[in-house]
Amino acid sequence: MVSVTVWNEFVHEREDEEVAEVYPDGIHAVLADFLADAGHDVRTATLDEDEHGLTEAVLGDTDVLLWWGHAAHDEVRDDVVDRVVERVHEGMGFVPLHSAHYSKPFKRLMGTSCSLKWREEGERERLWVVEPGHPVADGVGEAIELDRTEMYGERFDVPQPDALVFTSWFEGGEVFRSGCAYRRGAGRVFYFRPGHETYPIYRNEEIQRVIRNAVAWAAPGETVDVEFGNVDPRE
Amino acid sequence: MVSVTVWNEFVHEREDEEVAEVYPDGIHAVLADFLADAGHDVRTATLDEDEHGLTEAVLGDTDVLLWWGHAAHDEVRDDVVDRVVERVHEGMGFVPLHSAHYSKPFKRLMGTSCSLKWREEGERERLWVVEPGHPVADGVGEAIELDRTEMYGERFDVPQPDALVFTSWFEGGEVFRSGCAYRRGAGRVFYFRPGHETYPIYRNEEIQRVIRNAVAWAAPGETVDVEFGNVDPRE
Amino acid sequence: MVSVTVWNEFVHEREDEEVAEVYPDGIHAVLADFLADAGHDVRTATLDEDEHGLTEAVLGDTDVLLWWGHAAHDEVRDDVVDRVVERVHEGMGFVPLHSAHYSKPFKRLMGTSCSLKWREEGERERLWVVEPGHPVADGVGEAIELDRTEMYGERFDVPQPDALVFTSWFEGGEVFRSGCAYRRGAGRVFYFRPGHETYPIYRNEEIQRVIRNAVAWAAPGETVDVEFGNVDPRE
Amino acid sequence: MVSVTVWNEFVHEREDEEVAEVYPDGIHAVLADFLADAGHDVRTATLDEDEHGLTEAVLGDTDVLLWWGHAAHDEVRDDVVDRVVERVHEGMGFVPLHSAHYSKPFKRLMGTSCSLKWREEGERERLWVVEPGHPVADGVGEAIELDRTEMYGERFDVPQPDALVFTSWFEGGEVFRSGCAYRRGAGRVFYFRPGHETYPIYRNEEIQRVIRNAVAWAAPGETVDVEFGNVDPRE
């Protein structure tokens, strides 16, 4: 059992009827549900809560943080971002989804612009497993097919991942590194591309499987307690 | 529970009294014991057995294979090596220890000479954890100290590891990438340097912890079944 | 100026009229021409020559070896393969092209099956630059378009590249890691996917540019002379 | 010829007599001299200059930026840091030296704390080449010996480098990943550990050789001009 916090800016679902139909209780509710069904201890947090729901107490008790944001990246307070980044360095897992490529914590952890190409025309996407031996691909078939998605295309301006697990093909002619694993500090980060506010992608069972795998993979073990700074010689 | 096979050439222990005192039942027996204590299903296999104890049936039922060899690398039959390498490609974990850097299966999986510097003077070694967020370092302190070891020094002629977990310091002035993680095919490989036939290193509890971690990390999940060869278009 | 040897099995061009029309003097001749035009010192070698044209003298004088093979991989002598692999370990650059993913030297250097999906239907391919800061992508646009190619699709069973430079999109729905950079021993290896015996891909100027870049990148510098084996302490 | 800018906070040399004796014109002057001798076009810039000497014009004309800072990291203006980071993303090479592991631009590019262990007792350091095929190790021997250095020890809290070129051994018992290559955006970053304000390390010819190699390696080519944002389909 992993202690999971699902963070969602929770903006589209309350402002746009089309989104509300797909995710009436918010994207976070759907993510939380299937992770709870997998036996994890799950809470949610949203932008409009005090400290965005990410107090020191909540983060201190979080093993893996999922992040969904799109319209309100800039409204996330910098002190909360500092806290998230620091917790990742200490060992907390971090799983930014889809448009969270542009979230403050992900950009801070990557050190790059995290820019990409995009297009919203409901194209077909096929996520190919390029690293079948990686735990995040566990039990997934050779490829996951999504009938209608927003396109994200290369160049995706991120550091070379420690492991590239998925690469997407898009109907319109682009490719994308859709599943990228990193370690930052003592924490593990898995960026996973699929998701959208109007295509019901988080209800897809194969996508749910990958997210469950990512949570299991990103959960910290008994992390080494490192001493930094001025030290005495060992010899 | 992981199905583990511990392979040992089992030569030194029967030919050299000094070795026999440290490992009276063979190095494999000590490795098998602490892995069985960790709840794994463990068998052993040795060079003098039929097919070196690595029949198709045994390998087919092995999740993770540990390998110890030193004096008799050349006596390992090439058809058995083929079988081991193929099983790693299919997903079997492989954990070569110490002088197994020169074993046939490891060299085949690496594609390099796997050469290194060495010296046998009972020097002190200190294995520093350089990647504390990696599962193989789980629960290990900042460094493991070994009072008397054989030295292995860089340049260690292996491909850049997918993750470098440990780096050793040696009294005589060398360093060594002591814990190297790779994926090859669908299988995971963890080379771990410590070990020797006369220094009782596999009785060290911290070393045992790393080897237990390596077994857990290398164990295959539900590996993707990949179709190779001529295929029809998806579109 | 780099000393380049272009190796070609030179089978299709002599047995198949359609191929002979595209490459009347062999694929090696076209490759050699544009590399010579770039100012390099270029020789060619083919399967039917003595020692396949890859004598110790030739390899000893080669900075970068290009390799094209398809129909006759198995006819390449193992002792010549040993020699090629050893020279790569010593620092010689190696650039296997297209179907050379299944060549003996490449498979030996990778330690994996190097299998992939394929289909020969003259589909469109688009090679996206995923790592624009890599020297092999120098001066290339965002993507290279090829109207008619043989498809290669993932899973491509190779080790994770040290740098992934190109990823291909195919009309039929697949993706492929088309430009993969590795170091093996002191040598640099760049696998580049495009090429075919009947599509005139090596006459494409952008493809030529990438191959010229790969040769420049793979050329050895003043390689460190490493001492392996038993050594005295530095302290 | 590469257009190089050597940045130095230039604090110690003016406040501390001992430092002034080693580097009477500042550390930047010594770095600039040997790089100019190598045929590069070199300018220097320091903290007390207007915009720290790193105006848009200067950075726009810089291929590779070297950075030395120690006592005054916090005094570097954030808008100048933004500019440096953005230029790296566009393709400018960046070579932070020694205590610049804690400089603002390096920390921003890494996304981690960049913390480490340290000790100032004039210990012996030996930098082992672990990746002899990397251009930054070109022409360097197996190891560089430095008689008196400040110690930096692991855990060095940086992302896994794209290539690890040097690993240091220290008399007091530590190891350190001393030469780390990264790509960030289109730019190349090489962190190189040696250096100090009172040990005359930048007068050492082997250290100078590595820094010259790093400048050559980090210099941008004809970088791909990437289009980010909303795009039309290619198909």
Side-chain angles (χ1 to χ4, degrees):
Chain A
M1 198 188 65
V2 176
S3 176
V4 180
T5 299
V6 178
W7 192 88
N8 180 11
E9 60 177 32
F10 199 22
V11 171
H12 292 299
E13 300 94 325
R14 294 193 280 198
E15 296 184 350
D16 184 324
E17 272 186 37
E18 193 191 354
V19 180
E21 271 174 45
V22 182
Y23 294 113
D25 301 315
I27 283 174
H28 53 294
V30 172
L31 294 166
D33 276 1
F34 73 76
L35 290 170
D37 287 350
H40 297 309
D41 185 13
V42 187
R43 67 161 72 77
T44 63
T46 55
L47 183 68
D48 60 355
E49 294 177 44
D50 193 34
E51 303 184 43
H52 311 323
L54 299 173
T55 59
E56 292 217 2
V58 164
L59 287 176
D61 185 46
T62 298
D63 292 325
V64 179
L65 176 66
L66 277 76
W67 194 278
W68 207 94
H70 183 215
H73 291 314
D74 286 347
E75 295 171 37
V76 179
R77 282 166 39 184
D78 286 332
D79 60 330
V80 173
V81 174
D82 290 346
R83 204 183 280 160
V84 167
V85 167
E86 200 171 309
R87 275 290 294 143
V88 173
H89 292 169
E90 286 170 14
M92 183 180 74
F94 183 59
V95 181
L97 296 170
H98 190 62
S99 44
H101 74 92
Y102 253 175
S103 65
K104 286 184 178 179
F106 186 61
K107 289 200 290 184
R108 284 272 301 281
L109 287 161
M110 295 293 104
T112 59
S113 75
C114 301
S115 293
L116 44 76
K117 291 181 170 56
W118 59 271
R119 186 172 56 241
E120 227 168 332
E121 302 196 357
E123 294 166 57
R124 184 155 48 262
E125 173 180 9
R126 185 172 295 108
L127 292 109
W128 289 97
V129 174
V130 296
E131 204 61 79
H134 195 281
V136 176
D138 199 48
V140 178
E142 282 201 289
I144 299 173
E145 307 253 349
L146 296 172
D147 274 349
R148 287 171 55 83
T149 64
E150 181 182 358
M151 185 283 294
Y152 277 9
E154 296 282 345
R155 157 66 169 177
F156 181 23
D157 182 23
V158 286
Q160 170 169 308
D162 296 334
L164 173 63
V165 185
F166 297 97
T167 297
S168 286
W169 175 98
F170 288 96
E171 207 175 341
E174 286 86 2
V175 298
F176 195 75
R177 289 171 292 168
S178 282
C180 295
Y182 298 92
R183 281 184 303 280
R184 285 300 179 268
R188 298 169 199 148
V189 177
F190 191 78
Y191 173 77
F192 190 48
R193 194 207 87 82
H196 194 254
E197 59 273 14
T198 58
Y199 309 126
I201 285 167
Y202 297 129
R203 299 192 185 280
N204 177 304
E205 289 192 10
E206 285 173 292
I207 296 297
Q208 291 184 359
R209 172 150 207 161
V210 173
I211 294 174
R212 280 198 308 270
N213 287 347
V215 165
W217 173 81
E222 210 178 302
T223 304
V224 175
D225 197 14
V226 178
E227 183 192 1
F228 291 119
N230 194 199
V231 295
D232 287 330
R234 293 274 186 141
E235 298 292 310
Chain B
M1 197 189 68
V2 176
S3 175
V4 180
T5 300
V6 179
W7 191 87
N8 180 12
E9 59 176 36
F10 199 22
V11 172
H12 292 299
E13 300 94 323
R14 294 194 277 200
E15 294 183 351
D16 183 324
E17 273 186 36
E18 193 191 355
V19 180
E21 271 175 45
V22 181
Y23 292 113
D25 301 316
I27 283 175
H28 54 295
V30 171
L31 293 167
D33 276 0
F34 73 76
L35 289 170
D37 288 350
H40 297 309
D41 185 14
V42 187
R43 67 162 70 77
T44 63
T46 55
L47 182 67
D48 60 357
E49 295 177 43
D50 193 32
E51 303 184 43
H52 312 320
L54 300 173
T55 59
E56 291 216 5
V58 164
L59 286 177
D61 185 46
T62 298
D63 293 324
V64 179
L65 175 66
L66 277 75
W67 194 279
W68 208 94
H70 184 213
H73 291 314
D74 286 348
E75 295 171 37
V76 179
R77 282 166 38 184
D78 286 331
D79 61 331
V80 173
V81 173
D82 289 346
R83 201 184 284 161
V84 167
V85 167
E86 199 171 312
R87 275 288 295 142
V88 172
H89 291 171
E90 286 170 12
M92 183 180 73
F94 182 58
V95 181
L97 296 170
H98 190 63
S99 44
H101 74 93
Y102 254 174
S103 65
K104 286 183 178 180
F106 185 61
K107 289 199 290 184
R108 283 272 300 280
L109 288 161
M110 295 294 104
T112 58
S113 76
C114 302
S115 294
L116 44 76
K117 292 181 167 58
W118 59 272
R119 184 171 58 242
E120 228 169 332
E121 300 195 358
E123 294 166 58
R124 183 154 50 261
E125 173 180 10
R126 184 175 295 108
L127 291 109
W128 289 96
V129 174
V130 297
E131 204 61 78
H134 195 281
V136 175
D138 201 49
V140 177
E142 284 201 289
I144 299 172
E145 307 254 349
L146 297 172
D147 274 350
R148 289 170 54 84
T149 64
E150 180 181 359
M151 186 283 293
Y152 278 9
E154 295 281 344
R155 160 65 168 177
F156 180 25
D157 182 23
V158 286
Q160 171 168 308
D162 295 333
L164 173 63
V165 186
F166 296 97
T167 297
S168 287
W169 176 98
F170 289 95
E171 207 175 342
E174 286 86 2
V175 298
F176 194 76
R177 289 172 292 169
S178 283
C180 294
Y182 298 90
R183 280 184 304 280
R184 286 296 180 270
R188 299 170 198 146
V189 177
F190 191 78
Y191 173 77
F192 191 48
R193 194 208 87 82
H196 194 253
E197 59 274 16
T198 58
Y199 309 126
I201 285 167
Y202 297 128
R203 300 191 185 281
N204 178 304
E205 289 192 10
E206 287 174 292
I207 296 298
Q208 292 184 359
R209 172 150 206 160
V210 174
I211 294 173
R212 280 198 309 269
N213 288 346
V215 165
W217 172 82
E222 211 177 302
T223 302
V224 175
D225 197 16
V226 177
E227 183 191 1
F228 291 119
N230 194 197
V231 294
D232 287 330
R234 292 275 188 142
E235 298 291 311
Chain C
M1 198 189 68
V2 177
S3 175
V4 180
T5 300
V6 179
W7 191 87
N8 180 11
E9 59 175 36
F10 200 22
V11 172
H12 292 299
E13 301 94 324
R14 295 195 278 200
E15 297 184 351
D16 182 326
E17 274 186 35
E18 192 190 357
V19 181
E21 272 174 46
V22 182
Y23 293 113
D25 302 315
I27 283 175
H28 54 295
V30 172
L31 293 167
D33 276 0
F34 73 75
L35 289 171
D37 287 350
H40 297 308
D41 186 13
V42 186
R43 67 161 71 77
T44 63
T46 54
L47 183 68
D48 60 355
E49 294 177 44
D50 193 32
E51 304 184 40
H52 312 320
L54 299 174
T55 59
E56 292 216 4
V58 166
L59 287 177
D61 185 46
T62 299
D63 293 325
V64 180
L65 175 66
L66 277 75
W67 194 278
W68 207 96
H70 184 213
H73 291 315
D74 285 347
E75 295 171 36
V76 178
R77 281 167 39 185
D78 287 331
D79 61 331
V80 173
V81 174
D82 289 346
R83 203 184 281 161
V84 168
V85 167
E86 199 171 313
R87 274 290 293 142
V88 173
H89 292 170
E90 286 169 14
M92 182 179 75
F94 182 59
V95 181
L97 295 169
H98 189 63
S99 44
H101 73 92
Y102 254 175
S103 66
K104 286 183 178 180
F106 185 61
K107 290 200 289 183
R108 283 274 300 280
L109 287 161
M110 295 293 105
T112 59
S113 75
C114 301
S115 295
L116 45 74
K117 291 181 169 56
W118 59 271
R119 186 173 56 241
E120 230 169 332
E121 300 195 358
E123 294 166 58
R124 183 151 54 261
E125 173 180 10
R126 185 174 294 110
L127 292 108
W128 289 96
V129 174
V130 297
E131 205 62 78
H134 194 281
V136 176
D138 202 47
V140 178
E142 283 200 289
I144 299 173
E145 307 252 350
L146 297 172
D147 274 348
R148 287 172 55 83
T149 63
E150 179 182 1
M151 185 284 294
Y152 277 8
E154 295 282 346
R155 157 67 170 180
F156 182 23
D157 183 23
V158 286
Q160 170 169 309
D162 295 335
L164 172 63
V165 186
F166 297 97
T167 297
S168 286
W169 175 98
F170 288 95
E171 208 175 341
E174 286 85 3
V175 298
F176 195 75
R177 288 171 292 168
S178 282
C180 294
Y182 297 92
R183 283 185 301 280
R184 286 298 179 268
R188 297 169 200 147
V189 177
F190 191 78
Y191 172 77
F192 192 47
R193 193 207 89 82
H196 194 253
E197 58 273 17
T198 58
Y199 308 126
I201 285 167
Y202 297 128
R203 299 192 185 280
N204 177 303
E205 289 192 11
E206 287 173 291
I207 296 297
Q208 291 184 0
R209 170 147 207 163
V210 174
I211 294 172
R212 281 199 307 270
N213 287 346
V215 165
W217 173 82
E222 210 178 302
T223 302
V224 175
D225 197 15
V226 177
E227 182 191 2
F228 291 119
N230 194 198
V231 295
D232 287 329
R234 292 275 186 139
E235 298 291 312
Chain D
M1 196 190 66
V2 177
S3 176
V4 180
T5 300
V6 179
W7 192 86
N8 180 11
E9 59 176 34
F10 199 23
V11 172
H12 291 300
E13 300 94 324
R14 294 193 279 200
E15 295 183 351
D16 183 325
E17 274 187 34
E18 194 191 353
V19 180
E21 271 176 45
V22 182
Y23 293 113
D25 301 315
I27 283 175
H28 54 294
V30 172
L31 294 166
D33 276 0
F34 74 75
L35 290 170
D37 287 351
H40 297 308
D41 185 13
V42 187
R43 68 161 72 75
T44 63
T46 55
L47 182 69
D48 60 355
E49 293 177 45
D50 193 32
E51 303 184 42
H52 312 321
L54 299 174
T55 59
E56 292 216 4
V58 165
L59 287 177
D61 185 46
T62 299
D63 292 326
V64 180
L65 176 66
L66 278 76
W67 194 278
W68 207 96
H70 183 214
H73 291 313
D74 286 348
E75 295 172 36
V76 178
R77 281 168 38 185
D78 286 331
D79 60 330
V80 173
V81 174
D82 289 346
R83 202 183 282 160
V84 168
V85 167
E86 201 170 311
R87 275 289 294 141
V88 173
H89 292 170
E90 286 169 14
M92 182 180 74
F94 183 58
V95 181
L97 297 169
H98 189 63
S99 43
H101 73 92
Y102 253 175
S103 65
K104 286 183 178 179
F106 185 61
K107 289 200 290 184
R108 284 273 299 281
L109 288 161
M110 295 294 105
T112 58
S113 75
C114 301
S115 294
L116 45 74
K117 291 181 170 56
W118 59 271
R119 186 171 56 239
E120 229 169 329
E121 299 195 359
E123 294 166 56
R124 182 154 52 260
E125 173 180 7
R126 184 173 295 109
L127 291 108
W128 289 96
V129 174
V130 297
E131 205 61 79
H134 195 281
V136 176
D138 201 47
V140 178
E142 282 202 289
I144 300 173
E145 307 252 349
L146 297 172
D147 275 349
R148 287 170 56 82
T149 64
E150 180 182 358
M151 185 283 293
Y152 277 8
E154 296 282 346
R155 156 67 168 174
F156 181 24
D157 182 24
V158 286
Q160 171 169 308
D162 296 334
L164 173 63
V165 186
F166 296 98
T167 296
S168 286
W169 175 98
F170 289 96
E171 208 175 341
E174 286 85 3
V175 299
F176 195 76
R177 288 171 293 169
S178 281
C180 294
Y182 298 92
R183 281 183 304 281
R184 285 298 179 269
R188 297 169 200 149
V189 176
F190 192 78
Y191 173 77
F192 191 47
R193 196 208 85 82
H196 194 253
E197 59 273 14
T198 58
Y199 309 126
I201 285 168
Y202 296 128
R203 300 193 184 282
N204 177 304
E205 289 192 9
E206 286 173 292
I207 296 297
Q208 291 184 359
R209 171 149 208 162
V210 174
I211 294 173
R212 280 199 309 270
N213 287 346
V215 164
W217 172 82
E222 212 178 301
T223 302
V224 174
D225 197 15
V226 178
E227 183 192 0
F228 291 119
N230 194 198
V231 296
D232 287 330
R234 294 274 186 140
E235 298 291 312

